[in-house]
């Protein structure tokens, strides 16, 4: 009898371990890995995202259309009008046909955005799984547009919803760039009237797209807001648990060699902290060289306007999916070009503390300003992983960034 019990106990223990091992092994293959990471096939096929009224938007408040990417994909997009602006043009908008718009440039909503010299745009990049209106996305668009004058441009990445293609790191960054290209070139908006907002996986897309525009095109947007972000995929997965309950690679932390072997199989890396640090370095170095040049030649002109970067990190303390300390890693990484590479961690912590306002248990705001570079980190006590995009810190940060952009224009 004892041996039978031991055999049953061994089977009971070995079964879950074997299942976990098989899942991890399957996850090392690029095809399975990307389906797990992006979960792009998990969306509501029965929901027609070309009919935004199903999610409580006014008739033609949302224009549903597709954008081309530079590598030939076609990604689904929503342009959402702010309600105060919609109200001014309500009669014209309501007589237009609803549904998918084949030529967005011929739509009334596009004309409204393009013809408004004071227009402000939020480029919203969502997290993994679902499609444009899934989960908290549609409610968040309502939050951002209900009372403000902010337009929203949101996209479904390749492979998501009705967008073509399959998701990869480089591909999603191109998708984010396609949205920014549309805003800058097709609509004709000035970059200082555009705020990029990325949530969860979308924060990594935001970092990648913004860094590319900073590095390749020399374009500085009004601001970049990273909500529930992570420093890089390897670090995040090492401690990640779905809903804080189902671990992915956390059990392997007791076996470092196996963990390194598994992480070495990652095909996408999403080094967000390094990309943001690169942006800080570019802007900081450019302005330092400009200042030195002006001193050397006693220039008094503004032929070369100063570059700027407004980076905001917002995370809920009770985020059970991506731990809030991921923002601490990003903050410490991106300020390195401003303080020097050799500053000890204890001194860095003390410098940050001097710039921090504590707002109760688990809540604080740290703001690091160095010339035209501002790094702002806010830890909010509530909101979890998803609802944080609906909570006041995100909309308030949009308002703060647009106000500072307006001050720079004066």
């Amino acid at each position: 009898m004892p041996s039978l019990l031991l055999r049953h106990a061994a089977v009971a223990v070995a079964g879950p371990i074997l299942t976990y091992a098989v899942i991890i092994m399957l996850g090392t293959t690029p095809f399975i890995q990307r389906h797990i990471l992006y979960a792009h096939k998990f969306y509501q096929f029965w929901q027609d995202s070309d009919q935004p009224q199903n999610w409580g938007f006014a008739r033609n408040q949302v224009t549903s259309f597709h954008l081309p990417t530079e590598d030939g994909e076609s990604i689904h997009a929503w342009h959402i009008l702010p309600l105060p602006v919609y109200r001014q043009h309500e009669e014209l908008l309501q007589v237009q046909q609803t549904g998918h718009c084949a030529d967005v440039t011929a739509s009334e909503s596009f004309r409204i955005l393009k013809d408004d010299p004071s227009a402000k745009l939020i480029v919203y990049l969502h997290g993994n799984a679902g499609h444009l209106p899934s989960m908290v996305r549609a409610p968040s668009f309502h939050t951002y547009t209900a009372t403000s004058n902010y337009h929203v441009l949101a996209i479904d990445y390749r492979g998501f919803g009705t967008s073509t293609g399959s998701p990869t790191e480089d591909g999603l960054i191109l998708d984010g760039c396609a949205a920014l290209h549309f805003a800058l070139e097709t609509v004709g908006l000035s970059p200082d009237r555009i705020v990029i907002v990325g949530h969860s996986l979308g924060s990594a897309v935001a970092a990648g797209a913004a860094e590319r525009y900073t590095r390749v095109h020399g374009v500085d947007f009004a601001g970049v807001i990273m909500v529930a972000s992570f420093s890089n995929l390897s670090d995040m997965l090492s401690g990640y648990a779905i809903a804080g309950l189902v671990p992915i690679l956390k059990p392997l932390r007791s076996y470092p060699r196996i963990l390194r072997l598994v992480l070495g199989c990652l095909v996408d890396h999403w080094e967000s902290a390094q990309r943001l640090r690169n942006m800080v370095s570019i802007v900081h170095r450019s302005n330092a060289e400009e200042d030195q040049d002006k001193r050397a030649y006693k220039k008094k002109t503004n032929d070369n306007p100063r570059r700027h970067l407004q980076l905001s990190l917002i995370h809920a303390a009770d985020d059970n999916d991506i731990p809030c300390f991921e923002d601490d890693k990003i903050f410490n990484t991106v300020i390195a070009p401003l303080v020097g590479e050799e500053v000890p961690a204890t001194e860095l912590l003390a410098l940050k503390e001097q710039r921090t306002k504590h707002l109760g248990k688990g809540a604080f705001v740290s703001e690091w300003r160095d010339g035209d570079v501002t790094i702002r980190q806010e830890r909010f006590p509530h909101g979890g992983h998803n609802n944080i995009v609906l909570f006041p810190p995100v909309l308030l940060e949009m308002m703060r960034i647009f106000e500072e952009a307006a001050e720079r224009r004066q």
Side-chain angles (χ1 to χ4, degrees):
M1 181 64 69
S3 61
L4 182 61
L5 290 174
L6 285 173
R7 282 199 297 271
H8 281 298
V11 170
V13 172
I17 293 175
L18 182 61
T19 301
Y20 177 75
V22 170
I23 292 172
I24 294 300
M25 288 178 65
L26 287 173
T28 60
T29 64
F31 179 80
I32 300 295
Q33 187 181 125
R34 282 177 168 144
H35 274 74
I36 294 172
L37 172 61
Y38 299 113
H40 52 291
K41 293 303 180 184
F42 291 94
Y43 81 96
Q44 294 84 348
F45 290 94
W46 61 91
Q47 293 181 332
D48 187 357
S49 54
D50 282 332
Q51 297 295 333
Q53 285 177 266
N54 295 339
W55 286 270
F57 295 98
R59 179 183 172 88
N60 288 324
Q61 181 189 356
V62 179
T63 302
S64 178
F65 63 105
H66 276 73
L67 280 173
T69 68
E70 66 178 69
D71 63 339
E73 300 296 348
S74 177
I75 58 171
H76 189 203
W78 273 10
H79 167 213
I80 305 140
L81 288 168
L83 273 180
V85 173
Y86 176 88
R87 179 68 187 94
Q88 296 172 20
H89 305 272
E90 187 173 7
E91 291 186 8
L92 282 173
L93 288 163
Q94 287 197 344
V95 298
Q96 284 201 325
Q97 184 177 353
T98 61
H100 187 267
C101 182
D103 181 6
V104 66
T105 61
S107 68
E108 184 66 20
S109 58
F110 178 85
R111 183 196 63 79
I112 292 169
L113 175 59
K114 187 174 179 63
D115 291 351
D116 183 1
S118 63
K120 301 177 182 67
L121 178 69
I122 305 298
V123 174
Y124 186 92
L125 302 167
H126 66 64
N128 72 337
H131 61 154
L132 268 173
S134 294
M135 297 172 281
V136 295
R137 291 161 199 165
S140 68
F141 303 153
H142 282 296
T143 298
Y144 306 152
T145 60
T147 58
S148 76
N149 285 317
Y150 305 155
H151 296 249
V152 171
L153 175 66
I155 62 169
D156 258 341
Y157 316 115
R158 60 190 63 201
F160 286 72
T162 60
S163 299
T164 65
S166 298
T168 64
E169 179 173 0
D170 291 340
L172 265 64
I173 292 174
L174 289 180
D175 298 340
C177 289
L180 297 173
H181 179 83
F182 174 81
L184 293 168
E185 304 300 331
T186 307
V187 179
L189 286 175
S190 171
D192 65 351
R193 295 186 178 277
I194 300 171
V195 169
I196 306 171
V197 179
H199 172 235
S200 190
L201 171 66
S203 69
V205 180
E211 190 267 349
R212 181 176 175 181
Y213 263 86
T214 297
R215 174 174 48 83
V216 177
H217 304 291
V219 172
D220 304 321
F221 296 95
V224 180
I225 302 176
M226 310 272 287
V227 185
S229 55
F230 55 92
S231 55
N232 63 72
L233 188 60
S234 294
D235 285 357
M236 190 270 284
L237 288 179
S238 297
Y240 180 72
I242 300 172
L245 301 172
V246 183
I248 302 298
L249 298 181
K250 212 171 184 179
L252 296 181
R253 295 174 84 172
S254 300
Y255 309 93
R257 293 181 64 182
I258 298 176
L259 179 60
R260 286 196 298 271
L261 183 64
V262 172
L263 291 175
C265 295
L266 288 176
V267 290
D268 295 331
H269 300 92
W270 293 110
E271 296 281 356
S272 295
Q274 290 300 323
R275 284 177 169 138
L276 296 171
R277 172 177 168 165
N278 190 33
M279 291 175 65
V280 172
S281 295
I282 291 170
V283 173
H284 184 64
R285 184 172 61 247
S286 175
N287 287 342
E289 290 173 354
E290 178 68 15
D291 289 343
Q292 185 178 14
D293 191 43
K294 285 183 178 179
R295 286 193 298 269
Y297 296 98
K298 298 182 179 180
K299 291 184 178 180
K300 296 182 180 180
T301 64
N302 289 318
D303 294 339
N304 297 316
R306 293 181 66 82
R307 303 195 62 175
H308 72 274
L309 173 62
Q310 178 88 33
L311 172 63
S312 304
L313 309 170
I314 300 174
H315 218 124
D318 61 354
D319 188 334
N320 289 322
D321 283 28
I322 298 178
C324 58
F325 60 72
E326 283 290 318
D327 273 8
D328 297 329
K329 294 180 185 177
I330 296 175
F331 189 93
N332 292 342
T333 300
V334 298
I335 64 171
L338 306 177
V339 299
E341 304 293 338
E342 305 302 325
V343 176
T346 52
E347 184 178 339
L348 194 62
L349 188 63
L351 290 171
K352 181 180 179 181
E353 182 62 27
Q354 294 171 12
R355 297 161 172 81
T356 299
K357 293 181 181 178
H358 293 277
L359 303 172
K361 185 178 180 181
F364 66 83
V365 173
S366 297
E367 187 171 271
W368 195 294
R369 288 182 179 266
D370 189 313
D372 293 271
V373 175
T374 301
I375 314 298
R376 192 175 187 276
Q377 179 188 5
E378 180 164 0
R379 181 75 43 79
F380 201 66
H382 310 292
H385 184 67
N386 288 318
N387 286 333
I388 186 64
V389 295
L390 300 168
F391 282 26
V394 178
L395 184 55
L396 284 170
E397 192 62 15
M398 294 175 187
M399 297 166 64
R400 187 178 293 108
I401 289 172
F402 279 129
E403 287 169 2
E404 292 199 13
E407 291 174 3
R408 285 194 298 269
R409 286 194 294 271
Q410 293 177 354

